Amino acid sequence: MLTLPSGAPAVPSQLSLALQAFLAGILVALALLSILAYRPLRDRVLSQAGMFGLVAAAAWIAYSGLATPLLPTRLTPWIHPASLILGGLSLAIWERVTAGLLSTSPGARRLAHIRRFTALATLIIALAALVPWAPFHRLSEIVLGLLAPLLALLTLTAGLRARHEGLRIASALVAATLALLVCCATLWALSAGWLGTILSLAILQLALVVLAMALGWAMLSRMMELRKDTEAAQRAQLAVVASQASTLEALVTQRNAELSERLRELSVARQSSELANQSLQRALDQLEQAASTDRLTGAWNRRRFEEAVMPEIALAHRRRDPLSLLMFDLDHFKRVNDTYGHGAGDAVLAGTAQTVRMHLRASDSLVRWGGEEFLVMTPATRLEGALGLAEKLRAAIEAIEFPGVGRVTMSLGVSEYALGEGLEEWIERTDQALYRAKAEGRNRVIAAPAPEGPEVEPSSERSLLEVIWEDTYASGHALVDAQHQRLFRLASTLMATLTENRPLTEVALRLETLLAHTAQHFHDEEALLRQARYPDLPEHAGIHASLLSKAWKLQSEVKAGQLDFGRLISFLALDLVKGHILTEDRAYFAHLVQATGPDSMPLAGA
């Protein structure tokens, strides 16, 4: 760290090795303290202070003679040049350390350039000691002897300015710089012979101890400041993190509240939608009821009869089951209207329908054909049974005393369906029997004769287009089976409409009715399966959506006048009936009945 001027003793024999080692240990301790503190604090000044301590310790070991007994004899001549180089290097590092400690002082920064230049020149001159020529060594000693105190004076000036500006660490740095100046003055005094060797080395040792202690004090002060700054930064960072966490928590709370409100709104909207859907379905049922029944008597109208009779005819074709038809009207009913008024006539018609309905089975159907004419369709009934029913109805009407009108009678024509017979021909044959009953005196029952010619078998093409409900198709769940039977009947009626070349408007109306019931059935079915926790519900609902999408596309084509007979028949028979109701739906039958029972209904809003 420090250099001997020319003429100084190489190794002061009077200085004990213990004291020399103690001084080197202080410098090494300073270095280790700075190096260890650098790791957590990551401060460049601390690392530079550690390097300074190590280099200064090495320079003192070379100068004081501690290295002489440790090195081979051939290396002894290099100890003195090494002390010069290490001294110059320690002064250069000293400048870097002090510059870092005084970096916050404006006054000290104004001397930074000249101090850096002086330190660089000191290092370059010290390196000249590497040249193995004595004059160069002497020149290096002289120049170092001049530059070292100059650098110390510049550092002292910078330290005093910083101290005046209130930099706390400047006091320790001033003390260390004064110790450095004492070292420089002692070396010059020793070289000039003003001080003895023992006294000079004692002063040098004491000054170096003071320098090391002061520099250690400065390093500790910087560590404390850095620690405080680090803790303050950590607190600020924690405060920012806490603030961000609080903001995030508030945002999450707000989002949760918004989500809860949105879910509540969606739940309310869903319930409203379900209520609206139920109301719409009730309205649809009411409209269908109004469109398919006579308002006065409650009997079916012609449209409803045509929808129902075609599946029954198809069943008669397939199973050879009997099917009979009764046609009747009230005798001299025009006289009732003319005599007692149309109000009384309406009361007689309503009473007649009510009485007739009391004598019919659940499978029988009453139809108002027009005016006072009615039809009764009796499935699974032969002609003899139909004649017995007709006679029973005739007697029941004859026995009634209608208020304000008295007794009325009715005439009936009865016929059994013949295989291969068209609907219009069958009705016409029954109407002829009714005409004969009136012609023969009224208030009687006449059976229509069988049609002339051989029995006509239904065509194979017609049988392929029929979908007939059978008991083996039942699921055991009342609502599902009722809806499935209705879909069978509507699909069969629609196919009959297609095969009979009915107007496209009628096809569109029947298709729309079928799709409305299909959509309602799919909705109810999914609600029931959801209540039953059916595991394959998502896949089943996806099949529903696919079928409805295909159906709506067909409906739009029909409305646009682009009827594709083959595609529509394929959808009804293969996709809807065979592919879904008779195949896909059967997978959930046992699970549904076991989980919810045979009479469960979809929950409101499900």
Side-chain angles (χ1 to χ4, degrees):
M1 182 184 70
L2 298 174
T3 61
L4 270 174
S6 178
V11 180
S13 58
Q14 295 83 357
L15 188 63
S16 68
L17 293 176
L19 293 176
Q20 296 172 18
F22 174 73
L23 178 57
I26 292 178
L27 293 174
V28 172
L30 173 64
L32 293 176
L33 174 65
S34 300
I35 292 172
L36 292 175
Y38 167 74
R39 295 189 64 183
L41 298 177
R42 294 294 177 184
D43 181 53
R44 187 173 59 181
V45 175
L46 293 177
S47 66
Q48 292 171 349
M51 292 175 60
F52 170 77
L54 293 176
V55 174
W60 172 251
I61 291 171
Y63 175 78
S64 65
L66 285 174
T68 301
L70 301 176
L71 296 175
T73 306
R74 65 178 182 275
L75 296 179
T76 302
W78 289 97
I79 294 178
H80 182 62
S83 67
L84 294 176
I85 295 171
L86 292 172
L89 181 59
S90 64
L91 288 173
I93 299 175
W94 166 266
E95 186 277 330
R96 288 288 80 204
V97 173
T98 56
L101 294 174
L102 300 175
S103 60
T104 58
S105 169
R109 284 201 301 270
R110 285 194 288 270
L111 297 174
H113 294 294
I114 189 171
R115 292 176 62 243
R116 187 177 301 113
F117 176 77
T118 303
L120 181 60
T122 302
L123 179 59
I124 294 173
I125 294 301
L127 291 175
L130 292 174
V131 179
W133 190 33
F136 270 93
H137 295 177
R138 181 60 181 168
L139 178 62
S140 297
E141 291 177 355
I142 295 173
V143 176
L144 285 175
L146 295 174
L147 292 178
L150 176 60
L151 180 60
L153 288 173
L154 291 172
T155 304
L156 180 62
T157 303
L160 291 174
R161 288 183 178 181
R163 187 173 182 275
H164 180 70
E165 292 170 357
L167 184 63
R168 293 169 54 184
I169 203 171
S171 298
L173 189 58
V174 167
T177 306
L178 289 175
L180 179 60
L181 283 173
V182 170
C183 290
C184 293
T186 302
L187 289 173
W188 276 109
L190 177 63
S191 177
W194 297 341
L195 292 175
T197 301
I198 297 176
L199 180 60
S200 298
L201 291 177
I203 294 173
L204 281 174
Q205 185 174 357
L206 180 61
L208 287 174
V209 170
V210 172
L211 186 148
M213 298 299 293
L215 189 59
W217 175 25
M219 291 299 103
L220 288 175
S221 299
R222 182 166 183 86
M223 292 177 198
M224 293 177 61
E225 291 179 0
L226 290 174
R227 181 69 67 181
K228 290 180 180 179
D229 293 343
T230 302
E231 292 176 353
Q234 290 177 345
R235 287 194 297 270
Q237 186 177 8
L238 288 175
V240 171
V241 171
S243 176
Q244 292 176 346
S246 177
T247 303
L248 181 60
E249 183 179 359
L251 182 61
V252 170
T253 302
Q254 179 183 358
R255 290 291 183 268
N256 286 338
E258 293 175 356
L259 180 59
S260 299
E261 179 64 20
R262 180 59 177 165
L263 290 175
R264 189 188 65 80
E265 293 175 355
L266 288 175
S267 178
V268 172
R270 181 180 179 182
Q271 293 177 2
S272 300
S273 176
E274 293 298 337
L275 290 175
N277 184 62
Q278 293 175 5
S279 299
L280 181 61
Q281 182 60 37
R282 286 194 295 269
L284 180 62
D285 292 340
Q286 292 172 0
L287 287 174
E288 183 180 359
Q289 181 71 15
S292 61
T293 58
D294 176 60
R295 184 171 57 181
L296 174 63
T297 63
W300 287 359
N301 58 19
R302 288 196 178 197
R303 172 176 171 269
R304 181 68 180 88
F305 169 70
E306 290 173 357
E307 288 180 355
V309 73
M310 296 309 298
E312 295 295 340
I313 291 176
L315 191 62
H317 285 167
R318 183 174 181 179
R319 296 183 176 180
R320 299 296 192 269
D321 287 345
L323 177 64
S324 297
L325 186 67
L326 285 67
M327 178 179 285
F328 67 86
D329 72 356
L330 300 179
D331 299 327
H332 304 296
F333 185 71
K334 184 177 183 301
R335 186 183 306 169
V336 173
N337 282 333
D338 293 342
T339 304
Y340 303 105
H342 287 281
D346 289 346
V348 171
L349 289 176
T352 299
Q354 182 179 5
T355 302
V356 169
R357 195 177 288 110
M358 292 172 57
H359 292 81
L360 298 181
R361 301 170 301 177
S363 59
D364 298 336
S365 304
L366 176 64
V367 182
R368 185 175 183 184
W369 195 243
E372 70 276 15
E373 281 189 335
F374 291 84
L375 292 178
V376 175
M377 182 177 64
T378 58
T381 304
R382 296 198 177 277
L383 180 62
E384 296 76 9
L387 288 172
L389 174 62
E391 183 59 35
K392 186 187 298 184
L393 296 179
R394 187 201 63 78
I397 295 299
E398 185 180 21
I400 295 176
E401 185 78 25
F402 290 98
V405 176
R407 299 180 183 275
V408 296
T409 61
M410 67 178 182
S411 302
L412 300 95
V414 183
S415 67
E416 181 179 348
Y417 177 73
L419 291 180
E421 185 178 22
L423 176 61
E424 293 181 1
E425 290 80 2
W426 185 28
I427 295 176
E428 175 62 25
R429 189 160 56 89
T430 310
D431 185 55
Q432 290 298 324
L434 173 61
Y435 179 78
R436 284 179 52 202
K438 287 184 173 294
E440 294 180 9
R442 296 184 173 86
N443 193 24
R444 65 189 62 223
V445 177
I446 298 295
E452 297 180 358
E455 185 179 86
V456 181
E457 291 292 339
S459 66
S460 60
E461 179 184 3
R462 181 65 175 273
S463 63
L464 291 175
L465 300 181
E466 297 168 352
V467 287
I468 306 301
W469 175 265
E470 296 183 4
D471 294 339
T472 56
Y473 300 158
S475 66
H477 191 279
L479 177 63
V480 172
D481 289 341
Q483 292 183 347
H484 279 177
Q485 291 180 41
R486 175 178 287 183
L487 293 181
F488 264 70
R489 186 176 68 251
L490 293 174
S492 184
T493 302
L494 177 56
M495 287 192 289
T497 304
L498 290 170
T499 57
E500 294 174 4
N501 295 321
R502 296 293 184 89
L504 195 59
T505 54
E506 184 176 350
V507 173
L509 179 60
R510 294 189 185 279
L511 178 59
E512 184 175 1
T513 303
L514 172 65
L515 295 188
H517 283 285
T518 301
Q520 181 62 41
H521 167 62
F522 286 170
H523 175 273
D524 293 343
E525 186 177 83
E526 290 175 17
L528 288 170
L529 294 179
R530 191 175 298 111
Q531 293 171 214
R533 301 184 182 276
Y534 182 55
D536 296 331
L537 175 58
E539 293 79 1
H540 202 77
I543 296 174
H544 286 172
S546 177
L547 286 173
L548 287 177
S549 176
K550 188 174 183 179
W552 289 329
K553 185 176 181 180
L554 289 171
Q555 184 185 32
S556 63
E557 292 175 357
V558 171
K559 288 183 177 180
Q562 301 172 354
L563 172 62
D564 189 328
F565 180 89
R567 288 181 59 211
L568 186 53
I569 291 295
S570 175
F571 170 77
L572 293 173
L574 301 180
D575 296 342
L576 179 61
V577 175
K578 182 179 180 181
H580 187 67
I581 296 178
L582 299 183
T583 304
E584 297 291 345
D585 281 0
R586 299 184 73 84
Y588 71 75
F589 285 174
H591 180 90
L592 176 62
V593 175
Q594 183 178 4
T596 64
D599 300 317
S600 59
M601 297 295 290
L603 298 177

